[in-house]
Amino acid sequence: MNIVVNEELKAYIDPLTRDEHDALERSLLAEGCRDALVLWGDVLVDGHNRYGICQKHGLPFQTVQNTHFQSMEDVHLWMIDQHLGRRSVSDFQRGVLALRKREIVAARKARAAATPPEPVDEADLPWSSDGPVAAPPPPAPAPDVPSESLSSREAIARAARLSSSQVVAIEKIQKQAAPELVAAVKSGTISLATAATVATLPAEEQVAAAKGGKDELKQAAKRVRDAKQRKPREDKEAAEDAPGQEAPAGGSDDEVRTLRLRVAELTAENEALRAELARLQG
C-alpha cells in the first residue's frame, strides 16, 4: 500500500509532546494499532503518529477511506472537529482550532454567496418540433457549508468548550504573542489570561520573560496590570497639576458654585420681568 504523508496536513495539528509520543508508542507495542488510519485516496489524514510508530517497529495496521472529502478544506474541517472532541487537547489548542474553523466556514459562505448559478444551455436538452421536451435540470447544489457560522465569540466558545473571555485571550495571543510566549502557553507553563497580559508587552520583553520561566512571566503580567491601574490615577493628577488646563468633566467646586450663582441671578431676573409684564398687562 502506498501511503502519502502530506507534511502540511501532518503539521496542521500541534504535534504530541515527547511524553505523549512515548506513551503512545508503549501502548502500540503492548496492544497493537487498534484504530484504523484514515486516508483520502493515498493521502494520510489521521494517524500520523501511529503510522510512524508502526513503520518504526514493523507493526501491522488497518486503513479506512473517507469518501466524503471533496477538497482540502473538507479534510481540514474534519481534522478540526476530530480534535475538538478529544479531551487530551489543551484549551489553547481547542481555541486555535475553533478560530481556524471560523475562517474556513466564513470563506466558504463568502464564495457560495458570490457564485451565481450556472445558466442552462437549452441546446443540451432533448428537443422536438415544439421545443425542448424536458425541463432544465435543477442548479448544482451549493458547496457544503457547516450550519454554525462561528461568527460570534460565544459560538466559538461553545465549539471549543471554552468561555468567551478565554477566546478573547487566545485571539490576543495569536495576534501579539512572541513565539517564545506561545510555546510557554502550549507547554502549560502559564495560563491563557497571564499569556494574554504579557502579550501586550514589546516582543523583546516577552522573550525575556519567557526565558525567565514561570515566575518571571507572572511578574511581567503583574507589572502590566499594576501599570494599567496606575495610569488613570496619574492622568488625573497630571490634569489637576497642569496650569491652564481645562477642569475635568465634572468641573471643580469653584466652577460649580459660580454656575449656581449665575443660575440664581438669571432666575431672579426672569421672575422680575414676569412681574413687570403682569403689571403692564393689568
Side-chain angles (χ1 to χ4, degrees), residues 52-250:
I53 294 170
C54 289
Q55 289 290 93
K56 175 182 176 181
H57 296 285
L59 300 175
F61 57 86
Q62 296 180 332
T63 63
V64 62
Q65 286 284 341
N66 190 315
T67 59
H68 299 291
F69 298 146
Q70 296 182 9
S71 67
M72 190 60 74
E73 279 188 349
D74 291 338
V75 175
H76 287 162
L77 286 173
W78 184 88
M79 293 175 71
I80 289 171
D81 287 339
Q82 290 295 305
H83 283 78
L84 284 177
R86 292 176 180 172
R87 288 177 295 178
S88 60
V89 178
S90 69
D91 290 346
F92 178 72
Q93 288 176 315
R94 286 202 308 276
V96 169
L97 292 173
L99 290 169
R100 286 181 186 173
K101 182 174 182 178
R102 177 186 66 179
E103 294 174 0
I104 295 173
V105 172
R108 283 195 164 188
K109 288 198 170 185
R111 288 199 303 270
T115 304
E118 294 186 3
V120 177
D121 188 351
E122 292 189 350
D124 295 332
L125 300 176
W127 278 69
S128 70
S129 58
D130 297 326
V133 297
D144 183 29
V145 178
S147 58
E148 189 172 18
S149 65
L150 301 181
S151 58
S152 67
R153 287 200 178 100
E154 290 74 15
I156 296 170
R158 285 194 299 271
R161 305 198 308 279
L162 300 172
S163 66
S164 295
S165 61
Q166 286 175 307
V167 173
V168 172
I170 292 170
E171 288 181 302
K172 184 177 292 186
I173 293 167
Q174 281 193 301
K175 293 177 182 177
Q176 300 175 242
E180 291 81 359
L181 181 58
V182 174
V185 178
K186 289 182 177 180
S187 66
T189 302
I190 54 173
S191 67
L192 292 174
T194 300
T197 302
V198 176
T200 61
L201 292 170
E204 59 272 16
E205 294 186 36
Q206 296 182 40
V207 173
K211 289 181 177 178
K214 183 176 183 178
D215 290 340
E216 182 56 35
L217 285 165
K218 287 186 175 181
Q219 287 299 316
K222 185 176 185 301
R223 289 195 295 272
V224 173
R225 288 191 291 266
D226 290 346
K228 287 182 178 179
Q229 291 175 353
R230 284 197 306 270
K231 192 173 188 308
R233 185 169 62 251
E234 291 173 351
D235 289 345
K236 180 180 178 182
E237 291 173 355
E240 291 174 350
D241 294 341
Q245 295 281 339
E246 291 185 1

Side-chain angles (χ1 to χ4, degrees), residues 17 46 105 202 263:
T17 64
D46 185 59
V105 172
V263 169

